[in-house]
Amino acid sequence: MIRLSELKLPLDHAPGAITPAICARLGIAPEALKSWHVFRRGNDARKRSAIQLVYTVDVEVDGEAEVLERFAGDKDVRPTPDMAYRFPTKAPAGWSGKRPVVIGAGPCGLFAGLILAQMGFKPIILDRGKVVRERTKDTWGLWRRNEFNPDSNVQFGEGGAGTFSDGKLYCRTKDPRFLGRKVLEEFVKAGAPDDILWEAHPHIGTFRLVTMVESMRKTIEELGGEYRWLTRVDDLELERQPDGNHVLRGLHLADGTFLEADHVVMAIGHSARPTFEMLHRRGVYLEAKPFSIGVRIEHPQSWVDRARYGNCAGHPDLGAAAYSLSHHASNGRTVYSFCMCPGGRVVAATSEEGRVVTNGMSQYSRAEFNANSGLVVGIDPARDYPGGPLAGIEFQRKWESLAYVAGGSTYAAPGQKVGDFLAGRPSTELGEVVPSYKPGVTMTDLAECLPAFAVEAIREALPVFGRQIANYDHADAVMTGVETRTSSPLRITRGKDFHSLNVERLFPAGEGAGYAGGILSAAIDGIKVGEAVAASIMADA
């Protein structure tokens, strides 16, 4: 087959318009086109008065070799790649070796566990939190009643932090093996809508993610895998080698028991601070890495739709509009939008008592009143937290604690209208935009819980963004703080074989280890690490 990309048609094109467009683009007669199907569909809204749908289609034609030869220099006409997933190894029939262990049941741990189960290695999956429906009740307990559970919340439990998010399923990770396709196909098997296979920017939303992770858990268990909930790993059993490095021999659990294990995937997510601290005490190689700090900003979704789509706002083929913004400020900082959630809400996302953290969440429909996005400033260890691999965590805690106090020490978030923020005065009341954060917002001065350089950079960026998206810097737009969990503040560094640099058979993985950002890239990394674990097991056999 031939993959034809950048096939553009008007937004309201007729259902039958794709077939003649393919023929015209390839210079073939209609009878030479045997079949086609859409691989991806996006839109080009740069001209709001002439929005186009942009298709990538896989086509079957007579004389395929001749067509490809004619378009040999055209990057938009290529052979359709083979995207089928193939297991690199499988456990022998009747395999009864020591079972691999996966720590963390977020997207990375889920796919590491799934791939190991599908290869016949019957993984044990540990998570300090609860199954997703119980976890959801605990999470809503904070949002509705100010009741916080440090082991069961937005960050910890089945599905990981991605469960309470927009459910975005796209990333910029290079993926020559098409592992992302494997992820999407597994999600569809688990109940995701099949449009995630062809939408250019697919998403799922929280409620659908809940049922999907339940379905995938059932699949893993049917293949011999085992989940253990409310199980926290407090220490590692390491055996020192002559070269000074170590080999992993087992896990000490919080209930005092010991789990013998010699292949462990560390898929703990970006907020597993006690585990990071334990790894540091044990001498596991860690290094600080950049992340970002800022706020969540909210506007009515209708404002964003009109700014992006003009008179086409509300068109069913466009859905709720998103945006991506970036500005290099004069103080040397970069301000950018992060994890934009169309038609969603801002949620309380702390994982520790006495701190406030914001994040964004949407349902599949993206039908709620406000759009929200992180508005964050990039930071780095050398300049902002030079005190070693754990210094970024202390940096986060400082500003999260100040946000808790600024919000009234009740888990309410501190908030401020954009007009007041730009003028350098506290907000005392809401305007036209009503914030969505629960359990509530206390209007105040966000400068009390943000670094001065971040305040300066965001103040410079807001008018710039307002020239790109009308009303972005509207005086009544609302910002809530603080956004500190954009990515892991450290990396659990690994080698090309996916083992920790200095602890053999410990496999750092996913967002918490510093190798992913978001659901799809974390799931892809989980597959890669699961494959590496299987290869290591088979090498020992």
Side-chain angles (χ1 to χ4, degrees), residues 61-116:
V61 299
D62 289 330
E64 178 180 309
E66 183 274 328
V67 172
L68 288 171
E69 185 177 351
R70 280 195 290 115
F71 289 92
D74 191 330
K75 64 181 178 57
D76 295 325
V77 183
R78 290 283 187 267
T80 298
D82 180 1
M83 297 184 295
Y85 179 77
R86 294 172 179 84
F87 296 103
T89 189
K90 286 203 171 184
W95 181 82
S96 59
K98 194 176 297 181
R99 298 165 72 183
V101 176
V102 177
I103 305 174
C108 180
L110 177 63
F111 273 86
L114 177 67
I115 214 75
L116 284 165

Side-chain angles (χ1 to χ4, degrees), residues 185-445:
E185 288 174 349
E186 292 292 348
F187 278 153
V188 170
K189 290 178 187 176
D194 61 6
D195 63 13
I196 69 171
L197 296 174
W198 49 266
E199 284 286 4
H201 295 97
H203 77 285
I204 300 176
T206 289
F207 288 163
R208 295 202 178 203
L209 277 164
V210 167
T211 59
M212 286 161 49
V213 297
E214 287 180 318
S215 175
M216 295 180 74
R217 184 211 317 156
K218 181 180 178 182
T219 297
I220 290 170
E221 289 174 335
E222 288 174 346
L223 291 169
E226 175 188 353
Y227 281 83
R228 300 184 188 179
W229 304 107
L230 296 172
T231 302
R232 192 180 72 238
V233 176
D234 277 358
D235 205 353
L236 307 180
E237 185 71 24
L238 303 179
E239 180 181 293
R240 187 176 178 86
Q241 300 296 103
D243 63 1
N245 290 329
H246 295 80
V247 176
L248 181 66
R249 296 304 185 198
L251 306 171
H252 294 276
L253 307 181
D255 64 1
T257 60
F258 177 73
L259 178 60
E260 189 176 355
D262 59 9
H263 287 86
V264 173
V265 177
M266 187 66 71
I268 52 178
H270 60 38
S271 294
R273 292 167 173 175
T275 306
F276 293 147
E277 291 163 349
M278 177 272 289
L279 294 173
H280 185 57
R281 288 194 305 271
R282 274 295 178 190
V284 177
Y285 190 91
L286 311 176
E287 56 185 334
K289 61 173 279 296
F291 61 102
S292 300
I293 186 171
V295 297
R296 279 271 146 185
I297 186 166
E298 291 189 81
H299 308 84
Q301 181 63 46
S302 60
W303 293 4
V304 180
D305 290 344
R306 286 196 299 272
R308 292 279 287 110
Y309 297 146
N311 292 333
C312 294
H315 193 287
D317 284 338
L318 296 176
Y323 59 78
S324 178
L325 301 168
S326 181
H327 172 68
H328 297 287
S330 57
N331 67 356
R333 304 286 180 163
T334 298
V335 184
Y336 63 98
S337 59
F338 169 78
C339 189
M340 194 268 161
C341 296
R345 65 176 64 181
V346 180
V347 299
T350 186
S351 59
E352 294 181 329
E353 294 181 3
R355 311 191 204 281
V356 164
V357 179
T358 59
N359 195 16
M361 183 182 90
S362 297
Q363 303 300 343
Y364 177 71
S365 63
R366 289 178 165 173
E368 297 194 51
F369 191 77
N370 283 355
N372 76 79
S373 173
L375 183 62
V376 296
V377 179
I379 55 179
D380 65 81
R383 179 164 44 173
D384 300 309
Y385 42 99
L390 301 182
I393 294 174
E394 294 311 309
F395 183 94
Q396 291 173 323
R397 283 173 168 158
K398 172 185 175 179
W399 300 107
E400 293 166 11
S401 296
L402 288 170
Y404 180 76
V405 173
S409 300
T410 62
Y411 294 107
Q416 191 171 15
K417 293 187 294 186
V418 164
D420 292 332
F421 180 81
L422 290 173
R425 60 176 178 259
S427 289
T428 57
E429 60 183 5
L430 294 172
E432 187 175 348
V433 182
V434 177
S436 59
Y437 176 97
K438 300 297 181 185
V441 174
T442 300
M443 301 305 285
T444 183
D445 184 356

Side-chain angles (χ1 to χ4, degrees), residues 293-295 399 402 421 446-452 454-455 458 482-483:
I293 186 171
V295 297
W399 300 107
L402 288 170
F421 180 81
L446 286 171
E448 296 177 0
C449 51
L450 287 171
V455 173
I458 293 172
V482 287
E483 185 95 356

